[in-house]
Amino acid sequence: MDTQTNVSETQRQYLTRRVCVVNELGLHARPAARLAQEAQKFSSRILLKVGAQEVDAKSILDILTLAARNGCGLEIMASGEDAAQAVEHLARLFRTKFQEG
């Protein structure tokens, strides 16, 4: 699951990509910390969405509230000048299991 679309939400344009949590233990503290740390490198506003729940991808605490388990699909949404790079970079983290093996 890896698709990309443009979504208009309120007045922002979000670039989105669907990804899947492939880590055996889900999006637990270590990958969540890595995700937040990597998201903070970008100036864009970055959100993660699971169902109707959206959280700030730059906050480990927000990410952990998703309780995303193995196999969970979610959307990476980014808005800003480096949105495309942010979405690609974060999607790569999911594909590579956050380098957890």
Side-chain angles (χ1 to χ4, degrees):
M1 174 179 359
D2 198 32
T3 60
Q4 189 168 334
T5 57
N6 289 315
V7 175
S8 177
E9 185 174 290
T10 60
Q11 297 175 336
R12 291 182 182 257
Q13 286 285 336
Y14 282 92
L15 185 64
T16 69
R17 182 163 303 173
R18 293 183 189 273
V19 294
C20 183
V21 177
V22 293
N23 295 60
E24 188 175 323
L25 300 176
L27 201 51
H28 61 85
R30 190 172 25 234
R34 177 90 192 275
L35 181 59
Q37 186 177 40
E38 294 297 321
Q40 290 169 12
K41 294 179 180 177
F42 296 93
S43 63
S44 292
R45 176 178 165 83
I46 305 171
L47 303 172
L48 296 176
K49 183 176 180 182
V50 175
Q53 186 180 7
E54 292 178 4
V55 300
D56 182 356
K58 297 180 180 181
S59 166
I60 182 175
L61 295 177
D62 280 9
I63 294 169
L64 290 172
T65 65
L66 294 174
R69 297 181 178 162
N70 176 276
C72 179
L74 54 81
E75 287 182 71
I76 301 169
M77 304 170 63
S79 176
E81 65 183 51
D82 57 359
Q85 295 88 355
V87 167
E88 178 58 35
H89 183 72
L90 299 180
R92 187 177 320 116
L93 289 175
F94 280 90
R95 283 193 306 269
T96 60
K97 300 181 179 182
F98 299 87
Q99 298 177 338
E100 287 196 319

